[in-house]
């Protein structure tokens, strides 16, 4: 009995519903800290390397972060006519999105993260992924992204909402007032993208993001990717723009480890249940 209990202590589990959870066997828990906004935990896992969770939900792991960070940056970049250069990231305190944008040749990135401790923890435990924070092309602001978009008048080719799920500090990032402010910041032909949750386990996140964007932008589209450590492994992103949403001549974009030109085309092909979810979101 005693040894069974010990074994249970060496697992980190993210609960998807009352009846289902995904568990990672961990070598060690490296950190657990309560900030003014949320709880951050870092685990050394057997299968996925280091893992960061916020309030018990997986944010990234060393092994599969490339999927999320490529797909949230490369798909919208491919839809921008010409070469996008200026980006705004809301959230993204782990630095993965900014680091990926630098690889794509962006030369001015503003990253607005509400919780400075996420940045500090990432610099310590994920130095490769967060290395953008020591690059002069990246300006990190520790403040609420909702306030920032309301007050700034800077313009960006790409606005990326790389946030936690729509609870706590991220709740206000999933409504139309936020997107009204975002719309004022996008350059001619600019694109906005948000992570919009698992269509299977978090249909509300996708519905909220879609409704909020549809209320403000004439063109909205959903795409998906396979991210093994996120709920169900099937993840959605939603893009919006005043411009038509279609792949531009993106021959400048290299293939990634996940992204390539076939993925760009295929990721917008949706299962019927996802189409229904989007259709129902006015
Ligand atoms: N890839 C991740 C995912 O989808 O699970 C997101 C990672 S990133 C760590 C999410 C960040 O969004 C967190 O660090 C959180 O503090 C930040 N965030 C949440 N609400 C925010 C807000 N209103 N303004 C700025 N950042 C916010």
């Amino acid at each position: 009995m005693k040894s069974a209990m010990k074994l249970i202590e060496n697992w980190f589990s993210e609960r998807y519903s009352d009846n289902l959870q995904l568990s990672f066997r961990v070598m060690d828990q490296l950190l657990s800290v309560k900030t003014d906004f949320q709880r951050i935990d870092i685990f050394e896992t057997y299968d996925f390397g280091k893992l960061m969770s916020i309030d018990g939900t997986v944010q990234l792991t060393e092994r599969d972060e490339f999927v999320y960070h490529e797909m949230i940056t490369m798909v919208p970049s491919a839809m921008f006519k010409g070469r996008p250069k200026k980006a705004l990231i809301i959230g993204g305190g782990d630095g993965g999105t900014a680091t990926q944008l630098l690889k794509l040749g962006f030369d001015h990135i503003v990253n607005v993260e509400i919780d400075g401790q996420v940045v500090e923890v990432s610099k310590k435990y994920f130095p490769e992924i967060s290395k953008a924070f020591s690059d002069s092309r990246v300006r990190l602001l520790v403040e609420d992204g909702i306030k920032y978009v309301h007050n700034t008048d800077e313009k960006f080719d790409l606005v990326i909402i790389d946030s936690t799920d729509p609870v706590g500090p991220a709740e206000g990032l999933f409504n139309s007032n936020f997107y009204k402010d975002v719309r004022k910041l996008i350059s001619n032909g600019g694109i906005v993208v948000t992570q919009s949750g698992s269509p299977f386990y978090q249909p509300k996140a996708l519905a909220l993001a879609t409704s909020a964007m549809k209320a403000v932008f004439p063109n909205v589209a959903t795409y998906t990717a396979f991210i093994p450590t996120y709920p169900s492994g099937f993840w959605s992103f939603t893009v919006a723009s005043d411009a038509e949403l279609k792949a531009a001549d993106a021959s400048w974009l290299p293939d990634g480890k996940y992204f390539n030109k076939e993925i760009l085309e295929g990721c917008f092909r949706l299962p019927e249940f996802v189409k229904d979810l989007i259709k129902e979101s006015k």
Side-chain angles (χ1 to χ4, degrees):
M1 185 64 193
K2 212 172 166 203
S3 62
M5 281 188 67
K6 203 163 174 234
L7 197 65
I8 289 164
E9 279 167 16
N10 290 334
W11 289 79
F12 160 71
S13 300
E14 176 175 345
R15 197 167 251 241
Y16 296 166
S17 76
D18 287 345
N19 309 306
L20 196 83
Q21 58 189 21
L22 177 66
S23 299
F24 301 78
R25 195 153 88 86
V26 302
M27 290 171 213
D28 206 0
Q29 175 154 20
L30 305 176
L31 178 86
S32 184
V33 61
K34 179 108 188 56
T35 73
D36 289 343
F37 300 96
Q38 50 216 351
R39 200 186 83 231
I40 311 172
D41 291 288
I42 307 281
F43 299 95
E44 184 72 57
T45 73
Y46 280 91
D47 282 7
F48 282 91
K50 286 195 194 72
L51 176 156
M52 179 199 283
S53 78
I54 291 186
D55 289 340
T57 67
V58 175
Q59 300 296 302
L60 79 156
T61 78
E62 285 178 317
R63 184 162 168 208
D64 71 346
E65 60 79 30
F66 71 93
V67 185
Y68 179 88
H69 292 124
E70 286 182 13
M71 290 300 278
I72 204 167
T73 56
M74 296 176 90
V75 173
S77 295
M79 303 180 104
F80 186 81
K81 255 199 195 136
R83 192 88 194 249
K85 288 286 176 191
K86 291 182 73 176
L88 170 66
I89 302 166
I90 303 295
D94 51 72
T97 297
T99 299
Q100 179 62 34
L101 287 176
L102 289 179
K103 282 189 207 159
L104 302 180
F106 279 74
D107 59 18
H108 178 69
I109 298 164
V110 177
N111 194 332
V112 185
E113 162 61 56
I114 201 168
D115 190 344
Q117 289 207 59
V118 176
V119 175
E120 291 318 311
V121 164
S122 299
K123 283 185 184 164
K124 180 164 179 201
Y125 294 99
F126 300 93
E128 260 310 296
I129 294 165
S130 64
K131 66 183 179 202
F133 290 133
S134 57
D135 192 294
S136 60
R137 292 166 290 180
V138 179
R139 185 163 163 240
L140 171 70
L141 300 172
V142 177
E143 62 176 270
D144 188 344
I146 298 166
K147 285 199 189 125
Y148 176 82
V149 298
H150 192 67
N151 295 327
T152 187
D153 49 17
E154 237 195 292
K155 295 267 189 257
F156 301 93
D157 302 327
L158 213 64
V159 176
I160 300 180
I161 321 302
D162 180 7
S163 72
T164 35
D165 300 330
V167 281
E171 200 175 343
L173 301 172
F174 286 75
N175 72 47
S176 56
N177 286 336
F178 171 71
Y179 283 106
K180 273 183 203 148
D181 286 334
V182 167
R183 189 181 187 194
K184 291 185 284 180
L185 310 184
I186 55 173
S187 62
N188 193 12
I191 314 274
V192 186
V193 63
T194 184
Q195 70 90 0
S196 40
S198 159
F200 196 86
Y201 278 112
Q202 303 159 325
K204 210 174 138 207
L206 177 56
L208 280 175
T210 307
S211 307
M213 284 173 150
K214 276 188 185 168
V216 176
F217 291 97
N219 303 304
V220 177
T222 299
Y223 62 95
T224 62
F226 164 67
I227 306 179
T229 60
Y230 285 177
S232 81
F234 179 56
W235 204 251
S236 75
F237 300 85
T238 305
V239 268
S241 181
D242 283 329
E244 197 188 343
L245 285 171
K246 59 172 191 192
D249 170 29
S251 47
W252 61 273
L253 262 179
D255 285 348
K257 241 167 108 178
Y258 185 91
F259 176 91
N260 59 30
K261 303 294 172 326
E262 294 91 69
I263 288 285
L264 176 60
E265 226 182 275
C267 67
F268 287 95
R269 306 266 162 94
L270 302 174
E272 286 304 310
F273 83 95
V274 181
K275 283 189 193 168
D276 288 345
L277 258 174
I278 293 163
K279 238 185 273 158
E280 284 155 21
S281 316
K282 299 258 155 42

